[in-house]
Amino acid sequence: MKIGILGSGAVAKTLGAGFLKHGHEVTVGTRDAAKLTEWKAANPKGSVGSFADAAAFGEVLVLAAKGSVAAEVCRLAGTGNLAGKPVLDTTNPIVEGGPDKGVLKFFTTLEDSLMERLQKEFPEARFVKAFNSVGAPRMVDPDFGGVKPTMFLCGNDAAAKATATKILDQFGWEVADMGGVEAARAIEPLCILWCIPGFRENSWTHAFKLLK
Ligand SMILES: NC(=O)c1ccc[n+]([C@@H]2O[C@H](COP(=O)([O-])OP(=O)(O)OC[C@H]3O[C@@H](n4cnc5c(N)ncnc54)[C@H](OP(=O)(O)O)[C@@H]3O)[C@@H](O)[C@H]2O)c1
């Protein structure tokens, strides 16, 4: 598939390399291509462009921007370039200023989520929450000694979730579909939980597993 990645941080770079590794075509988008010089050298088959270039290129998009500017990045990508496409939304609504005793603060409440705000502003995009509650180094082909970790996802569009599920399967994850966009109110805060061992014990390599 053709994948457009909106972002130049750890998530964008890791997933960009992961999609290339798994045989997809990738354009990564940023306001400042110089941030991706090293990534491009390490991933010569990948392309780098603006947010709009990446969004126009991708049949499937990945939103990997800082939470507070996620909507702005979608605007820069161009509403028309998002329309009808699955957008794997990795973002978290984290407040600047760091955690309180290891617990991050969000600018959303439990009756609201960042992905609901994005889905409302860009109704023609088909957002799927994914990859938000694990660290970038574990996102692609995570090795837990043969045990597959669980990726919680949600979104309103069944076909977009099926596409996300195929990708996650390829990347070595099992998927737990939590329903419509409102479930992002529960999935986004998993990031807060995931980060606590990181801030308290400098332990950043775990992932969640749903036992049934
Ligand atoms: N880091 C992780 O391990 C991890 C794991 C799971 C989920 N997440 C979530 O994934 C998202 C990406 O995280 P990250 O650590 O890779 O990167 P990040 O540092 O949170 O975000 C970097 C991106 O935000 C964009 N950005 C920042 N300020 C902007 C502005 N004023 N206008 C437009 N764009 C702006 C940057 O654009 P330019 O490229 O143009 O500079 C860059 O592409 C975040 O929401 C984070 O919470 C992160």
Side-chain angles (χ1 to χ4, degrees):
M1 285 185 292
K2 289 185 171 177
I3 312 291
I5 300 188
L6 309 176
S8 63
V11 174
K13 289 180 196 165
T14 301
L15 291 179
F19 277 108
L20 289 169
K21 175 182 172 189
H22 285 288
H24 302 280
E25 294 175 60
V26 173
T27 296
V28 184
T30 172
R31 294 165 303 166
D32 177 7
K35 288 187 181 172
L36 290 163
T37 306
E38 260 180 51
W39 183 89
K40 173 69 182 143
N43 297 277
K45 287 190 175 163
S47 300
V48 173
S50 66
F51 288 131
D53 292 335
F57 174 81
E59 316 163 72
V60 173
L61 307 182
V62 176
L63 177 58
K66 201 161 98 173
S68 57
V69 297
E72 174 60 13
V73 168
C74 289
R75 284 176 216 127
L76 292 171
T79 308
N81 290 328
L82 306 184
K85 298 179 183 175
V87 181
L88 308 190
D89 171 22
T90 73
T91 64
N92 288 306
I94 297 170
V95 169
E96 303 272 346
D100 174 13
K101 299 191 177 73
V103 183
L104 285 170
K105 294 180 189 169
F106 273 14
F107 58 77
T108 50
T109 67
L110 288 175
E111 284 77 44
D112 182 25
S113 61
L114 180 53
M115 195 168 84
E116 285 171 276
R117 295 183 187 185
L118 295 170
Q119 188 64 77
K120 263 184 213 133
E121 181 170 345
F122 306 97
E124 288 177 15
R126 302 188 289 156
F127 287 97
V128 180
K129 198 89 219 173
F131 291 112
N132 74 298
S133 46
V134 66
R138 291 288 209 185
M139 287 181 177
V140 181
D141 304 324
D143 181 2
F144 289 101
V147 178
K148 272 192 187 184
T150 306
M151 187 67 74
F152 293 92
L153 56 79
C154 71
N156 286 344
D157 189 277
K161 285 195 284 191
T163 301
T165 299
K166 241 189 240 170
I167 290 164
L168 283 158
D169 183 57
Q170 201 175 32
F171 282 21
W173 290 82
E174 67 173 27
V175 161
D177 180 355
M178 294 289 117
V181 66
E182 296 76 15
R185 296 173 201 174
I187 298 177
E188 288 172 3
L190 289 179
C191 153
I192 301 178
L193 183 64
W194 186 87
C195 285
I196 289 174
F199 292 124
R200 283 168 53 93
E201 298 150 22
N202 199 25
S203 168
W204 299 99
T205 57
H206 47 287
F208 294 121
K209 171 88 179 163
L210 184 64
L211 301 174
K212 295 183 195 171

